[in-house]
mmCIF file of all heavy atoms in Angstrom:
data_model
loop_
_atom_site.group_PDB
_atom_site.id
_atom_site.type_symbol
_atom_site.label_atom_id
_atom_site.label_comp_id
_atom_site.label_asym_id
_atom_site.label_seq_id
_atom_site.Cartn_x
_atom_site.Cartn_y
_atom_site.Cartn_z
ATOM 1 N N VAL F 233 -20.345 137.145 278.194
ATOM 2 C CA VAL F 233 -20.869 137.339 276.842
ATOM 3 C C VAL F 233 -19.953 136.599 275.862
ATOM 4 O O VAL F 233 -18.723 136.679 275.959
ATOM 5 C CB VAL F 233 -20.941 138.838 276.474
ATOM 6 C CG1 VAL F 233 -21.636 139.032 275.126
ATOM 7 C CG2 VAL F 233 -21.692 139.613 277.564
ATOM 8 N N TRP F 234 -20.572 135.905 274.910
ATOM 9 C CA TRP F 234 -19.831 135.044 273.985
ATOM 10 C C TRP F 234 -20.178 135.357 272.527
ATOM 11 O O TRP F 234 -21.342 135.532 272.199
ATOM 12 C CB TRP F 234 -20.216 133.587 274.210
ATOM 13 C CG TRP F 234 -19.809 132.997 275.504
ATOM 14 C CD1 TRP F 234 -20.372 133.202 276.723
ATOM 15 C CD2 TRP F 234 -18.743 132.064 275.701
ATOM 16 N NE1 TRP F 234 -19.730 132.454 277.677
ATOM 17 C CE2 TRP F 234 -18.729 131.736 277.075
ATOM 18 C CE3 TRP F 234 -17.821 131.456 274.851
ATOM 19 C CZ2 TRP F 234 -17.809 130.838 277.609
ATOM 20 C CZ3 TRP F 234 -16.915 130.564 275.385
ATOM 21 C CH2 TRP F 234 -16.912 130.272 276.749
ATOM 22 N N PRO F 235 -19.192 135.368 271.647
ATOM 23 C CA PRO F 235 -19.496 135.313 270.217
ATOM 24 C C PRO F 235 -20.051 133.925 269.878
ATOM 25 O O PRO F 235 -19.544 132.911 270.374
ATOM 26 C CB PRO F 235 -18.131 135.531 269.545
ATOM 27 C CG PRO F 235 -17.245 136.086 270.606
ATOM 28 C CD PRO F 235 -17.745 135.525 271.902
ATOM 29 N N ARG F 236 -21.071 133.884 269.065
ATOM 30 C CA ARG F 236 -21.698 132.600 268.763
ATOM 31 C C ARG F 236 -20.721 131.610 268.131
ATOM 32 O O ARG F 236 -20.797 130.399 268.361
ATOM 33 C CB ARG F 236 -22.912 132.801 267.849
ATOM 34 C CG ARG F 236 -23.735 131.534 267.639
ATOM 35 C CD ARG F 236 -25.027 131.808 266.878
ATOM 36 N NE ARG F 236 -25.868 132.745 267.600
ATOM 37 C CZ ARG F 236 -26.669 132.412 268.615
ATOM 38 N NH1 ARG F 236 -26.722 131.156 269.033
ATOM 39 N NH2 ARG F 236 -27.414 133.318 269.207
ATOM 40 N N THR F 237 -19.780 132.117 267.317
ATOM 41 C CA THR F 237 -18.837 131.213 266.654
ATOM 42 C C THR F 237 -18.022 130.418 267.678
ATOM 43 O O THR F 237 -17.834 129.205 267.526
ATOM 44 C CB THR F 237 -17.894 132.003 265.743
ATOM 45 O OG1 THR F 237 -17.348 133.121 266.473
ATOM 46 C CG2 THR F 237 -18.620 132.507 264.506
ATOM 47 N N ALA F 238 -17.528 131.085 268.710
ATOM 48 C CA ALA F 238 -16.753 130.387 269.736
ATOM 49 C C ALA F 238 -17.635 129.449 270.545
ATOM 50 O O ALA F 238 -17.261 128.305 270.845
ATOM 51 C CB ALA F 238 -16.070 131.394 270.658
ATOM 52 N N TRP F 239 -18.812 129.932 270.930
ATOM 53 C CA TRP F 239 -19.727 129.114 271.732
ATOM 54 C C TRP F 239 -20.051 127.809 271.011
ATOM 55 O O TRP F 239 -19.958 126.719 271.598
ATOM 56 C CB TRP F 239 -21.001 129.896 272.016
ATOM 57 C CG TRP F 239 -22.012 129.156 272.832
ATOM 58 C CD1 TRP F 239 -23.027 128.364 272.371
ATOM 59 C CD2 TRP F 239 -22.097 129.115 274.265
ATOM 60 N NE1 TRP F 239 -23.742 127.841 273.415
ATOM 61 C CE2 TRP F 239 -23.196 128.285 274.593
ATOM 62 C CE3 TRP F 239 -21.354 129.698 275.290
ATOM 63 C CZ2 TRP F 239 -23.566 128.024 275.902
ATOM 64 C CZ3 TRP F 239 -21.729 129.439 276.600
ATOM 65 C CH2 TRP F 239 -22.824 128.605 276.896
ATOM 66 N N GLU F 240 -20.396 127.878 269.728
ATOM 67 C CA GLU F 240 -20.792 126.686 268.998
ATOM 68 C C GLU F 240 -19.602 125.770 268.721
ATOM 69 O O GLU F 240 -19.738 124.543 268.753
ATOM 70 C CB GLU F 240 -21.506 127.087 267.708
ATOM 71 C CG GLU F 240 -22.856 127.760 267.984
ATOM 72 C CD GLU F 240 -23.615 128.137 266.727
ATOM 73 O OE1 GLU F 240 -23.006 128.080 265.624
ATOM 74 O OE2 GLU F 240 -24.808 128.474 266.845
ATOM 75 N N TRP F 241 -18.423 126.347 268.455
ATOM 76 C CA TRP F 241 -17.234 125.520 268.223
ATOM 77 C C TRP F 241 -16.890 124.717 269.469
ATOM 78 O O TRP F 241 -16.558 123.537 269.394
ATOM 79 C CB TRP F 241 -16.064 126.410 267.823
ATOM 80 C CG TRP F 241 -14.876 125.670 267.274
ATOM 81 C CD1 TRP F 241 -14.645 125.307 265.991
ATOM 82 C CD2 TRP F 241 -13.736 125.210 268.032
ATOM 83 N NE1 TRP F 241 -13.442 124.644 265.878
ATOM 84 C CE2 TRP F 241 -12.864 124.568 267.115
ATOM 85 C CE3 TRP F 241 -13.368 125.273 269.371
ATOM 86 C CZ2 TRP F 241 -11.651 124.001 267.505
ATOM 87 C CZ3 TRP F 241 -12.160 124.697 269.772
ATOM 88 C CH2 TRP F 241 -11.319 124.083 268.845
ATOM 89 N N LEU F 242 -16.991 125.349 270.626
ATOM 90 C CA LEU F 242 -16.676 124.661 271.870
ATOM 91 C C LEU F 242 -17.747 123.637 272.252
ATOM 92 O O LEU F 242 -17.453 122.659 272.944
ATOM 93 C CB LEU F 242 -16.505 125.679 273.002
ATOM 94 C CG LEU F 242 -15.244 126.539 272.894
ATOM 95 C CD1 LEU F 242 -15.344 127.766 273.805
ATOM 96 C CD2 LEU F 242 -14.005 125.715 273.235
ATOM 97 N N GLN F 243 -18.981 123.862 271.818
ATOM 98 C CA GLN F 243 -20.039 122.893 272.090
ATOM 99 C C GLN F 243 -19.865 121.622 271.262
ATOM 100 O O GLN F 243 -20.355 120.558 271.636
ATOM 101 C CB GLN F 243 -21.417 123.513 271.793
ATOM 102 C CG GLN F 243 -21.801 124.670 272.693
ATOM 103 C CD GLN F 243 -21.972 124.257 274.137
ATOM 104 O OE1 GLN F 243 -22.777 123.388 274.447
ATOM 105 N NE2 GLN F 243 -21.204 124.870 275.025
ATOM 106 N N ASP F 244 -19.191 121.742 270.129
ATOM 107 C CA ASP F 244 -19.024 120.613 269.217
ATOM 108 C C ASP F 244 -17.556 120.507 268.826
ATOM 109 O O ASP F 244 -17.181 120.691 267.671
ATOM 110 C CB ASP F 244 -19.913 120.792 267.983
ATOM 111 C CG ASP F 244 -19.960 119.554 267.106
ATOM 112 O OD1 ASP F 244 -19.644 118.463 267.620
ATOM 113 O OD2 ASP F 244 -20.283 119.680 265.911
ATOM 114 N N LEU F 245 -16.709 120.196 269.799
ATOM 115 C CA LEU F 245 -15.268 120.156 269.580
ATOM 116 C C LEU F 245 -14.892 119.071 268.573
ATOM 117 O O LEU F 245 -15.539 118.012 268.497
ATOM 118 C CB LEU F 245 -14.540 119.865 270.893
ATOM 119 C CG LEU F 245 -14.401 121.017 271.888
ATOM 120 C CD1 LEU F 245 -13.842 120.484 273.199
ATOM 121 C CD2 LEU F 245 -13.496 122.096 271.328
ATOM 122 N N PRO F 246 -13.842 119.310 267.796
ATOM 123 C CA PRO F 246 -13.347 118.256 266.894
ATOM 124 C C PRO F 246 -13.001 116.985 267.659
ATOM 125 O O PRO F 246 -12.622 117.017 268.838
ATOM 126 C CB PRO F 246 -12.099 118.898 266.270
ATOM 127 C CG PRO F 246 -12.336 120.376 266.366
ATOM 128 C CD PRO F 246 -13.096 120.569 267.642
ATOM 129 N N ASP F 247 -13.106 115.855 266.990
ATOM 130 C CA ASP F 247 -12.894 114.567 267.648
ATOM 131 C C ASP F 247 -11.516 114.440 268.264
ATOM 132 O O ASP F 247 -11.338 113.704 269.246
ATOM 133 C CB ASP F 247 -13.103 113.428 266.636
ATOM 134 C CG ASP F 247 -14.569 113.207 266.306
ATOM 135 O OD1 ASP F 247 -15.430 113.723 267.055
ATOM 136 O OD2 ASP F 247 -14.856 112.525 265.310
ATOM 137 N N ARG F 248 -10.511 115.142 267.734
ATOM 138 C CA ARG F 248 -9.150 114.986 268.267
ATOM 139 C C ARG F 248 -9.033 115.512 269.702
ATOM 140 O O ARG F 248 -8.045 115.234 270.378
ATOM 141 C CB ARG F 248 -8.134 115.685 267.372
ATOM 142 C CG ARG F 248 -8.366 117.155 267.126
ATOM 143 C CD ARG F 248 -7.363 117.682 266.095
ATOM 144 N NE ARG F 248 -7.687 119.008 265.617
ATOM 145 C CZ ARG F 248 -8.578 119.271 264.661
ATOM 146 N NH1 ARG F 248 -9.258 118.269 264.096
ATOM 147 N NH2 ARG F 248 -8.809 120.499 264.259
ATOM 148 N N TYR F 249 -10.027 116.273 270.162
ATOM 149 C CA TYR F 249 -10.018 116.762 271.540
ATOM 150 C C TYR F 249 -11.017 116.012 272.426
ATOM 151 O O TYR F 249 -11.340 116.460 273.522
ATOM 152 C CB TYR F 249 -10.344 118.257 271.563
ATOM 153 C CG TYR F 249 -9.431 119.090 270.695
ATOM 154 C CD1 TYR F 249 -9.941 119.875 269.668
ATOM 155 C CD2 TYR F 249 -8.057 119.086 270.894
ATOM 156 C CE1 TYR F 249 -9.108 120.639 268.867
ATOM 157 C CE2 TYR F 249 -7.207 119.847 270.100
ATOM 158 C CZ TYR F 249 -7.745 120.608 269.087
ATOM 159 O OH TYR F 249 -6.901 121.353 268.281
ATOM 160 N N ARG F 250 -11.465 114.872 271.960
ATOM 161 C CA ARG F 250 -12.538 114.166 272.661
ATOM 162 C C ARG F 250 -12.164 113.815 274.104
ATOM 163 O O ARG F 250 -12.994 113.859 275.003
ATOM 164 C CB ARG F 250 -12.901 112.894 271.889
ATOM 165 C CG ARG F 250 -14.072 112.119 272.494
ATOM 166 C CD ARG F 250 -14.443 110.922 271.629
ATOM 167 N NE ARG F 250 -14.839 111.338 270.293
ATOM 168 C CZ ARG F 250 -16.051 111.779 269.975
ATOM 169 N NH1 ARG F 250 -16.976 111.865 270.923
ATOM 170 N NH2 ARG F 250 -16.339 112.124 268.747
ATOM 171 N N GLU F 251 -10.897 113.479 274.338
ATOM 172 C CA GLU F 251 -10.475 113.058 275.669
ATOM 173 C C GLU F 251 -9.944 114.201 276.518
ATOM 174 O O GLU F 251 -9.542 113.980 277.672
ATOM 175 C CB GLU F 251 -9.399 111.970 275.555
ATOM 176 C CG GLU F 251 -9.835 110.746 274.780
ATOM 177 C CD GLU F 251 -11.063 110.081 275.386
ATOM 178 O OE1 GLU F 251 -11.117 109.982 276.635
ATOM 179 O OE2 GLU F 251 -11.955 109.667 274.625
ATOM 180 N N TYR F 252 -9.932 115.408 275.981
ATOM 181 C CA TYR F 252 -9.358 116.541 276.717
ATOM 182 C C TYR F 252 -10.461 117.292 277.446
ATOM 183 O O TYR F 252 -11.449 117.712 276.831
ATOM 184 C CB TYR F 252 -8.626 117.473 275.749
ATOM 185 C CG TYR F 252 -8.017 118.683 276.420
ATOM 186 C CD1 TYR F 252 -6.930 118.544 277.276
ATOM 187 C CD2 TYR F 252 -8.537 119.962 276.206
ATOM 188 C CE1 TYR F 252 -6.373 119.659 277.908
ATOM 189 C CE2 TYR F 252 -7.984 121.073 276.822
ATOM 190 C CZ TYR F 252 -6.900 120.915 277.677
ATOM 191 O OH TYR F 252 -6.359 122.005 278.301
ATOM 192 N N PRO F 253 -10.322 117.519 278.756
ATOM 193 C CA PRO F 253 -11.383 118.201 279.516
ATOM 194 C C PRO F 253 -11.425 119.704 279.216
ATOM 195 O O PRO F 253 -10.395 120.390 279.264
ATOM 196 C CB PRO F 253 -10.998 117.952 280.982
ATOM 197 C CG PRO F 253 -9.989 116.851 280.955
ATOM 198 C CD PRO F 253 -9.272 116.996 279.649
ATOM 199 N N VAL F 254 -12.614 120.200 278.935
ATOM 200 C CA VAL F 254 -12.844 121.631 278.727
ATOM 201 C C VAL F 254 -14.052 122.027 279.561
ATOM 202 O O VAL F 254 -15.141 121.476 279.388
ATOM 203 C CB VAL F 254 -13.099 121.962 277.248
ATOM 204 C CG1 VAL F 254 -13.342 123.457 277.069
ATOM 205 C CG2 VAL F 254 -11.919 121.519 276.379
ATOM 206 N N PHE F 255 -13.839 122.973 280.477
ATOM 207 C CA PHE F 255 -14.886 123.368 281.409
ATOM 208 C C PHE F 255 -15.311 124.815 281.174
ATOM 209 O O PHE F 255 -14.486 125.662 280.833
ATOM 210 C CB PHE F 255 -14.386 123.260 282.856
ATOM 211 C CG PHE F 255 -14.008 121.867 283.278
ATOM 212 C CD1 PHE F 255 -12.688 121.451 283.212
ATOM 213 C CD2 PHE F 255 -14.961 120.984 283.755
ATOM 214 C CE1 PHE F 255 -12.316 120.180 283.620
ATOM 215 C CE2 PHE F 255 -14.610 119.710 284.160
ATOM 216 C CZ PHE F 255 -13.282 119.303 284.086
ATOM 217 N N GLN F 256 -16.591 125.095 281.396
ATOM 218 C CA GLN F 256 -17.058 126.480 281.493
ATOM 219 C C GLN F 256 -17.025 126.961 282.940
ATOM 220 O O GLN F 256 -17.002 128.166 283.184
ATOM 221 C CB GLN F 256 -18.483 126.601 280.949
ATOM 222 C CG GLN F 256 -18.577 126.587 279.440
ATOM 223 C CD GLN F 256 -19.967 126.915 278.955
ATOM 224 O OE1 GLN F 256 -20.771 127.501 279.688
ATOM 225 N NE2 GLN F 256 -20.280 126.532 277.739
ATOM 226 N N THR F 257 -17.033 126.041 283.877
ATOM 227 C CA THR F 257 -17.061 126.397 285.289
ATOM 228 C C THR F 257 -15.684 126.154 285.900
ATOM 229 O O THR F 257 -15.203 125.018 285.948
ATOM 230 C CB THR F 257 -18.123 125.575 286.029
ATOM 231 O OG1 THR F 257 -18.056 124.210 285.589
ATOM 232 C CG2 THR F 257 -19.515 126.117 285.748
ATOM 233 N N ASN F 258 -15.076 127.222 286.379
ATOM 234 C CA ASN F 258 -13.744 127.135 286.952
ATOM 235 C C ASN F 258 -13.717 126.215 288.169
ATOM 236 O O ASN F 258 -12.729 125.493 288.405
ATOM 237 C CB ASN F 258 -13.270 128.535 287.334
ATOM 238 C CG ASN F 258 -11.794 128.586 287.663
ATOM 239 O OD1 ASN F 258 -11.016 127.753 287.215
ATOM 240 N ND2 ASN F 258 -11.404 129.568 288.446
ATOM 241 N N SER F 259 -14.785 126.211 288.945
ATOM 242 C CA SER F 259 -14.831 125.348 290.131
ATOM 243 C C SER F 259 -14.695 123.880 289.744
ATOM 244 O O SER F 259 -14.077 123.090 290.481
ATOM 245 C CB SER F 259 -16.137 125.570 290.900
ATOM 246 O OG SER F 259 -17.260 125.260 290.095
ATOM 247 N N CYS F 260 -15.248 123.506 288.593
ATOM 248 C CA CYS F 260 -15.160 122.110 288.149
ATOM 249 C C CYS F 260 -13.746 121.772 287.685
ATOM 250 O O CYS F 260 -13.254 120.662 287.918
ATOM 251 C CB CYS F 260 -16.160 121.855 287.024
ATOM 252 S SG CYS F 260 -17.891 121.975 287.555
ATOM 253 N N ALA F 261 -13.086 122.715 287.017
ATOM 254 C CA ALA F 261 -11.699 122.492 286.617
ATOM 255 C C ALA F 261 -10.823 122.280 287.854
ATOM 256 O O ALA F 261 -9.961 121.387 287.881
ATOM 257 C CB ALA F 261 -11.197 123.672 285.797
ATOM 258 N N LEU F 262 -11.029 123.095 288.874
ATOM 259 C CA LEU F 262 -10.258 122.945 290.103
ATOM 260 C C LEU F 262 -10.559 121.612 290.784
ATOM 261 O O LEU F 262 -9.645 120.937 291.275
ATOM 262 C CB LEU F 262 -10.565 124.105 291.051
ATOM 263 C CG LEU F 262 -9.912 125.437 290.688
ATOM 264 C CD1 LEU F 262 -10.545 126.580 291.469
ATOM 265 C CD2 LEU F 262 -8.412 125.379 290.964
ATOM 266 N N ALA F 263 -11.822 121.233 290.828
ATOM 267 C CA ALA F 263 -12.176 119.948 291.423
ATOM 268 C C ALA F 263 -11.484 118.806 290.686
ATOM 269 O O ALA F 263 -10.956 117.874 291.302
ATOM 270 C CB ALA F 263 -13.693 119.758 291.407
ATOM 271 N N HIS F 264 -11.449 118.884 289.364
ATOM 272 C CA HIS F 264 -10.798 117.851 288.553
ATOM 273 C C HIS F 264 -9.309 117.761 288.866
ATOM 274 O O HIS F 264 -8.769 116.676 289.113
ATOM 275 C CB HIS F 264 -11.023 118.164 287.071
ATOM 276 C CG HIS F 264 -10.185 117.364 286.139
ATOM 277 N ND1 HIS F 264 -10.196 115.990 286.121
ATOM 278 C CD2 HIS F 264 -9.283 117.753 285.184
ATOM 279 C CE1 HIS F 264 -9.348 115.556 285.197
ATOM 280 N NE2 HIS F 264 -8.779 116.599 284.621
ATOM 281 N N VAL F 265 -8.624 118.902 288.876
ATOM 282 C CA VAL F 265 -7.179 118.899 289.095
ATOM 283 C C VAL F 265 -6.839 118.523 290.535
ATOM 284 O O VAL F 265 -5.838 117.847 290.797
ATOM 285 C CB VAL F 265 -6.581 120.266 288.724
ATOM 286 C CG1 VAL F 265 -5.104 120.350 289.088
ATOM 287 C CG2 VAL F 265 -6.755 120.524 287.223
ATOM 288 N N LEU F 266 -7.671 118.926 291.484
ATOM 289 C CA LEU F 266 -7.413 118.648 292.896
ATOM 290 C C LEU F 266 -7.945 117.289 293.356
ATOM 291 O O LEU F 266 -7.715 116.884 294.493
ATOM 292 C CB LEU F 266 -8.029 119.747 293.769
ATOM 293 C CG LEU F 266 -7.391 121.133 293.631
ATOM 294 C CD1 LEU F 266 -8.259 122.192 294.315
ATOM 295 C CD2 LEU F 266 -5.972 121.147 294.210
ATOM 296 N N GLY F 267 -8.669 116.599 292.489
ATOM 297 C CA GLY F 267 -9.222 115.303 292.856
ATOM 298 C C GLY F 267 -10.356 115.396 293.847
ATOM 299 O O GLY F 267 -10.523 114.527 294.711
ATOM 300 N N ARG F 268 -11.179 116.445 293.732
ATOM 301 C CA ARG F 268 -12.294 116.674 294.639
ATOM 302 C C ARG F 268 -13.616 116.515 293.903
ATOM 303 O O ARG F 268 -13.684 116.586 292.680
ATOM 304 C CB ARG F 268 -12.237 118.085 295.214
ATOM 305 C CG ARG F 268 -11.020 118.390 296.047
ATOM 306 C CD ARG F 268 -11.060 119.848 296.488
ATOM 307 N NE ARG F 268 -10.066 120.172 297.500
ATOM 308 C CZ ARG F 268 -9.947 121.365 298.079
ATOM 309 N NH1 ARG F 268 -10.775 122.345 297.735
ATOM 310 N NH2 ARG F 268 -9.035 121.584 298.987
ATOM 311 N N GLY F 269 -14.682 116.382 294.676
ATOM 312 C CA GLY F 269 -16.014 116.440 294.112
ATOM 313 C C GLY F 269 -16.504 117.880 294.042
ATOM 314 O O GLY F 269 -15.924 118.787 294.638
ATOM 315 N N ASP F 270 -17.581 118.083 293.311
ATOM 316 C CA ASP F 270 -18.166 119.418 293.144
ATOM 317 C C ASP F 270 -18.693 119.953 294.473
ATOM 318 O O ASP F 270 -19.366 119.249 295.221
ATOM 319 C CB ASP F 270 -19.312 119.339 292.129
ATOM 320 C CG ASP F 270 -20.140 120.606 292.062
ATOM 321 O OD1 ASP F 270 -19.538 121.680 291.898
ATOM 322 O OD2 ASP F 270 -21.375 120.511 292.176
#
Side-chain angles (χ1 to χ4, degrees):
V233 186
W234 293 76
R236 188 173 300 279
T237 49
W239 180 269
E240 293 182 348
W241 192 88
L242 290 164
Q243 295 295 302
D244 189 20
L245 283 172
D247 286 345
R248 57 186 169 278
Y249 305 122
R250 183 176 300 278
E251 302 302 318
Y252 179 69
V254 180
F255 298 96
Q256 283 189 20
T257 43
N258 192 24
S259 61
C260 294
L262 284 166
H264 168 57
V265 174
L266 293 168
R268 298 177 169 183
D270 170 52

